[in-house]
Amino acid sequence: METSVTQPSLSRSDAPEPRAVILMLHGGKDRSQQVVDDRSASWRRCRSMQRTISPGAHAAGVSTWLLRYRRRGWNGGQGPVEDARWALSEVRRELGDLPVVLLGHSMGARTSVHAAAHDSVVGVVGLAPWLPPGERVAGLAGRHLLAAHGRRDRITSYRATAAFVERARAVASSAELHDMGPVGHYMLRRVPAWNDVALSGALGMLPA
């Protein structure tokens, strides 16, 4: 029997007196009603990244929070985007009106783009993002965007990401594409480089 999940959850790693938050959003599937549990490779991958980048984030006075969606699927976007907005509301409720950078992998990057219009969000860092042709850029108005993509990604498209970044330049405060070289989708090669672009990219979007 499938486990019932009534709300998303957060794994927090807080700086002593945080001045900002990096909210991490993991990947998923196009369509799935499967519950995101501890066996989820997408969630575990981001949890590992969170453990790695948190000391550097804390040194800069920044907390890292990792969202776990209720369901694995994009399913038209409603579920993960609602979960991300809930997480942003939790940041504000718990820590006040702090700036937030959304750090998303794959579907998490797409979710980030859809949630970016929230008042707290100052930017989006997308790792191997899933940004299909026609994805809207309006939510990035006045925000920063950094997309990092490998050229051997067979799950999501480097070209689609490049096209999205180009379109985002018309509305975003900044929009950059970081070429990760001959690596694939799951961030299993050049792990330190993925961690570095995640942390440095997010910190670079925050006010001094």
Side-chain angles (χ1 to χ4, degrees):
M1 180 179 293
E2 188 175 23
T3 303
S4 176
V5 174
T6 58
Q7 66 178 22
S9 62
L10 289 158
S11 298
R12 295 175 54 170
S13 182
D14 284 311
E17 295 183 5
R19 64 180 181 89
V21 175
I22 299 171
L23 178 58
M24 302 177 67
L25 308 178
H26 63 83
K29 294 185 174 183
D30 185 5
R31 296 197 172 274
S32 174
Q33 294 298 328
Q34 186 175 353
V35 169
V36 180
D37 58 23
D38 289 344
R39 297 169 294 179
S40 165
S42 296
W43 180 83
R44 290 172 65 181
R45 193 173 298 115
C46 282
R47 184 76 176 105
S48 177
M49 177 176 281
Q50 183 187 29
R51 292 190 187 101
T52 301
I53 70 173
S54 286
H58 293 176
V62 179
S63 296
T64 65
W65 289 26
L66 170 60
L67 172 65
R68 188 196 309 232
Y69 313 121
R70 290 166 291 175
R71 305 288 176 181
R72 291 181 66 184
W74 175 251
N75 301 326
Q78 183 175 5
V81 175
E82 284 182 352
D83 292 349
R85 289 171 179 157
W86 169 84
L88 287 163
S89 295
E90 286 296 291
V91 170
R92 179 166 288 179
R93 184 177 69 83
E94 292 282 341
L95 300 178
D97 190 17
L98 296 183
V100 178
V101 173
L102 300 176
L103 170 60
H105 173 240
S106 191
M107 187 186 82
R110 190 177 188 184
T111 302
S112 297
V113 166
H114 281 251
H118 190 281
D119 290 344
S120 297
V121 176
V122 297
V124 170
V125 177
L127 308 176
W130 175 31
L131 298 169
E135 192 69 43
R136 294 184 62 193
V137 300
L140 292 167
R143 276 75 174 167
H144 300 284
L145 171 67
L146 172 62
H149 216 137
R151 289 185 173 269
R152 290 185 180 173
D153 194 326
R154 299 295 181 263
I155 306 299
T156 58
S157 167
Y158 180 96
R159 287 187 178 183
T161 294
F164 180 88
V165 170
E166 186 61 34
R167 289 189 292 112
R169 290 192 174 113
V171 299
S173 294
S174 66
E176 300 179 27
L177 175 62
H178 187 90
D179 186 346
M180 295 299 293
V183 297
H185 184 70
Y186 296 110
M187 304 188 296
L188 299 176
R189 293 183 58 198
R190 300 193 66 210
V191 174
W194 285 109
N195 290 334
D196 180 68
V197 74
L199 180 60
S200 63
L203 294 181
M205 294 176 180
L206 293 170

